[in-house]
Amino acid sequence: GVSGAYSESAAEKAYPGCEVVPCEQFDIAFQAVENWLVDRAVLPIENSLGGSIHRNYDLLLRHRLHIVGEVQFAVRHCLLANHGVRVEDLKRVLSHPQALAQCENTLTKLGVIREAVDDTAGAAQFVALHQLKDTGAVASLGAASIYDLNVLAQDIQDDSDNITRFLMLAREPIIPGTDRPFKTSIVFSLEEGPGVLFKALAVFAMRNINLTKIESRPQRRQPLRQPVGTTNGSLKYFDYLFYVDFEASMADPNSQNALRHLKEFATFLRVLGSYPMDISLA
């Protein structure tokens, strides 16, 4: 997003005092790190209300960056408008689709038309740039300050427990340790068959390794396949990639043994990163 997006606030939490470089698209942020234009990328991966950011799961596999940290950020939506505009003047409200969905109750009560744009801060920028008098934006307090907008209402999200988890990405991995809580993220694929996924997850359970996340995504290059021995062309199934986060460091022999075990039957396995857990909710 543009300056004032929640990703910018997450980046400042992750790296206090850093110079923040806004990127309008997720792909551009990945490329900026790969091309040595920036040192790190801070990108959303999941929200406690809206779920996973599937685009970034796909980009994690497409690019060769490493996860070197995570940051959890409490999202607090505000209703913004130009100075002199009252709530009752609003006929439409702009924001990112997830932000609009997260403020469903408030916006329904206002009876406004909702219009989706690429990001929350971009909505605030548009309203300010065009000096709109009948249009508001759902965005952050930071965006209100940057674009000189009036805050008509704060904390308008339906659920106060609105947390977005961001990943920090770098060109090189960090050296994992065991001195504090670590998390490891992996992606793997399996042959089709009964109980294969159960067998894969069991390599962690038998070693008392706690899984915090599992996400399945169809393989983009060959999403559909004809099962062997069938003649009915409609009998197809997806080949899946499984993204898993677990609470352990790759410096722990337990984790190393679990992945060795998984490699025995996984058709593909890649460690995306082993990094310190963020246990704060600021």
Side-chain angles (χ1 to χ4, degrees):
V2 300
S3 185
Y6 290 106
S7 294
E8 183 175 74
S9 299
E12 290 167 346
K13 179 188 175 185
Y15 300 106
C18 69
E19 179 187 350
V20 180
V21 180
C23 297
E24 292 191 9
Q25 303 293 332
F26 294 139
D27 312 55
I28 297 172
F30 277 84
Q31 291 165 13
V33 179
E34 289 177 330
N35 295 331
W36 294 77
L37 300 175
V38 297
D39 298 312
R40 298 282 190 275
V42 178
L43 293 162
I45 196 68
E46 61 179 323
N47 177 266
S48 57
L49 303 180
S52 299
I53 316 295
H54 294 132
R55 175 66 176 158
N56 282 338
Y57 275 104
D58 293 338
L59 289 171
L60 279 172
L61 189 65
R62 186 180 304 173
H63 296 266
R64 297 298 300 185
L65 298 183
H66 302 269
I67 304 172
V68 296
E70 67 173 3
V71 61
Q72 298 190 86
F73 188 79
V75 175
R76 300 178 64 185
H77 293 308
C78 300
L79 181 61
L80 312 179
N82 283 298
H83 294 280
V85 177
R86 302 168 301 169
V87 173
E88 50 267 34
D89 297 329
L90 298 179
K91 291 183 172 56
R92 61 177 182 151
V93 170
L94 311 180
S95 198
H96 186 275
Q98 276 205 6
L100 294 174
Q102 291 164 10
C103 302
E104 173 76 23
N105 293 339
T106 299
L107 298 178
T108 298
K109 288 176 184 176
L110 292 178
V112 293
I113 296 170
R114 282 158 265 190
E115 291 188 17
V117 294
D118 286 343
D119 71 291
T120 55
Q125 182 187 58
F126 184 87
V127 169
L129 183 65
H130 296 277
Q131 284 295 301
L132 301 176
K133 300 300 182 184
D134 64 347
T135 304
V138 173
S140 67
L141 274 175
S145 176
I146 290 169
Y147 302 110
D148 191 28
L149 293 174
N150 187 34
V151 181
L152 298 178
Q154 293 189 42
D155 293 327
I156 63 170
Q157 62 272 6
D158 298 345
D159 194 322
S160 58
D161 295 326
N162 186 2
I163 309 296
T164 297
R165 177 176 168 242
F166 293 81
L167 298 179
M168 290 107 86
L169 306 174
R171 290 179 291 275
E172 299 295 335
I174 60 171
I175 299 174
T178 55
D179 55 328
R180 51 181 165 163
F182 262 70
K183 184 181 288 184
T184 299
S185 297
I186 63 172
V187 57
F188 61 90
S189 59
L190 302 166
E191 283 291 346
E192 182 71 11
V196 179
L197 180 57
F198 174 83
K199 184 179 176 183
L201 300 182
V203 307
F204 301 101
M206 67 176 59
R207 294 173 176 87
N208 292 317
I209 296 175
N210 184 41
L211 302 183
T212 60
K213 173 81 173 175
I214 179 167
E215 181 81 24
S216 61
R217 298 287 295 147
Q219 293 200 47
R220 298 177 68 85
R221 291 183 181 176
Q222 195 176 11
L224 292 173
R225 188 168 67 178
Q226 178 79 31
V228 176
T230 63
T231 56
N232 186 340
S234 64
L235 292 177
K236 296 181 179 180
Y237 57 80
F238 288 102
D239 275 338
Y240 284 101
L241 290 164
F242 298 97
Y243 293 82
V244 167
D245 294 341
F246 59 87
E247 291 181 340
S249 169
M250 280 308 297
D252 184 345
N254 230 15
S255 300
Q256 298 168 18
N257 291 334
L259 294 195
R260 269 194 217 100
H261 192 170
L262 181 58
K263 277 182 180 178
E264 291 176 9
F265 51 91
T267 56
F268 165 76
L269 173 63
R270 179 174 148 197
V271 177
L272 298 170
S274 191
Y275 48 92
M277 291 173 57
D278 181 15
I279 56 176
S280 67
L281 287 178

